[in-house]
Structures are given as structure tokens and as C-alpha cells.
Amino acid sequence: MSQKYPPGTRDDHETFCRNEEWQPVHNAKGQKVRHHATYELALYDGRILRTRISRPVDRSTYGPSLWGEILKNQLEVAPGEFWGCVKGGILPDRGVPEAPTSSLPLELVIQLTKTAKIPEATVAAMSKEEAIKAMNDFWTSMVSPPK
């Protein structure tokens, strides 16, 4: 059974933006936009969400149709995520990229691709141990045997 959520108010809308740390949008003169409270949120995938709250920001409730559009097209959250953020400070899952468990040092990648001429795709698939072995193999193959 799905839970029924009420439409939000302008005040709830702004609380959501503040809790999720949306940034106020300024006009060309560097001042806050006057006709609406306007906020932006940069996402990890490169998109920027923008939402507008009609002034005055107060307890005025949005109509159900408009509220659905705001949630879907501006905030890109489900009603439960919205209310969790407003009432409990629980931030919506915006797909935060996972930190790599292991990565190659940049200097080693440069040596492998530029000095040893190993294709980038091959280097990208290497573990740190494999990359070090490949570089060691390259350097030892460059050394002439003693006479």
C-alpha cells in the first residue's frame, strides 16, 4: 500500500532546498532574483536542477497538479524523499559516485602510456600490482646485459 503525501507549501519547498544545500540563483547584477526564490543544484552526472518558489515564501500550499510537476521536473524526487528531507533532514539519493577501491597513481599511468606505450584501455584494466610489474618489465627490458 503506497503512502499518501500532502502537497507541500512554499515554505516546505524552501526548507527542502536549504536542507539539500541548493544554491540561490543571482541575476546579472549579482543580486537575488526578485520575482521568485530561485535555486540550483549541480548533480554528479553534470546536470543542473533548477527550481523556483513563488514569492512570498510562506505557508501557501501548492495545488496537487503543480506540486506533482515541481517534484517530478524541478526537484526530481518522489514525495517520500521530499518529506524525508524536509522533516528528517534525510537527503535524497542523487547517485553519489562510489570512491574507487583502488586506483593507479597518475605518474604510473603516464609512464605506462607514454613511456612504455601501453594503450590506455589496457592500463585502465590493470590492478596496481599488474601495472607495477608491467613497468618493471619494461625497464628491465631496456637494460643491456653486462658484457
Side-chain angles (χ1 to χ4, degrees), residues 12-32:
D12 295 329
H13 191 169
E14 185 164 64
T15 299
F16 175 86
C17 291
R18 289 192 178 170
N19 285 352
E20 198 179 13
E21 299 183 2
W22 288 56
Q23 300 303 308
V25 174
H26 296 86
N27 64 19
K29 294 181 180 180
Q31 300 165 338
K32 285 188 179 179

Side-chain angles (χ1 to χ4, degrees), residues 67-132:
W67 182 238
E69 289 297 313
I70 290 169
L71 289 176
K72 180 181 177 186
N73 297 320
Q74 292 183 20
L75 303 179
E76 293 190 10
V77 292
E81 292 175 302
F82 175 83
W83 289 111
C85 182
V86 170
K87 302 289 186 189
I90 302 165
L91 300 181
D93 180 7
R94 299 285 188 185
V96 176
E98 292 182 28
T101 54
S102 65
S103 58
L104 301 178
L106 180 59
E107 187 63 33
L108 180 56
V109 171
I110 291 169
Q111 286 182 345
L112 289 165
T113 57
K114 303 296 183 199
T115 307
K117 307 277 191 242
I118 298 173
E120 285 183 30
T122 304
V123 172
M126 291 181 173
S127 68
K128 189 173 183 179
E129 293 75 24
E130 292 169 332
I132 292 170

Side-chain angles (χ1 to χ4, degrees), residues 35-89:
H35 56 285
H36 289 89
T38 306
Y39 294 92
E40 288 183 338
L41 179 68
L43 300 179
Y44 292 102
D45 64 6
R47 293 180 302 130
I48 297 177
L49 300 182
R50 182 178 275 220
T51 190
R52 293 176 178 85
I53 306 168
S54 296
R55 292 192 191 271
V57 177
D58 57 15
R59 305 289 304 156
S60 299
T61 303
Y62 290 106
S65 179
L66 177 59
W67 182 238
E69 289 297 313
I70 290 169
L71 289 176
K72 180 181 177 186
N73 297 320
Q74 292 183 20
L75 303 179
E76 293 190 10
V77 292
E81 292 175 302
F82 175 83
W83 289 111
C85 182
V86 170
K87 302 289 186 189

Side-chain angles (χ1 to χ4, degrees), residues 128-145:
K128 189 173 183 179
E129 293 75 24
E130 292 169 332
I132 292 170
K133 182 180 180 324
M135 203 63 230
N136 284 337
D137 291 347
F138 174 79
W139 288 121
T140 56
S141 71
M142 299 295 294
V143 176
S144 313

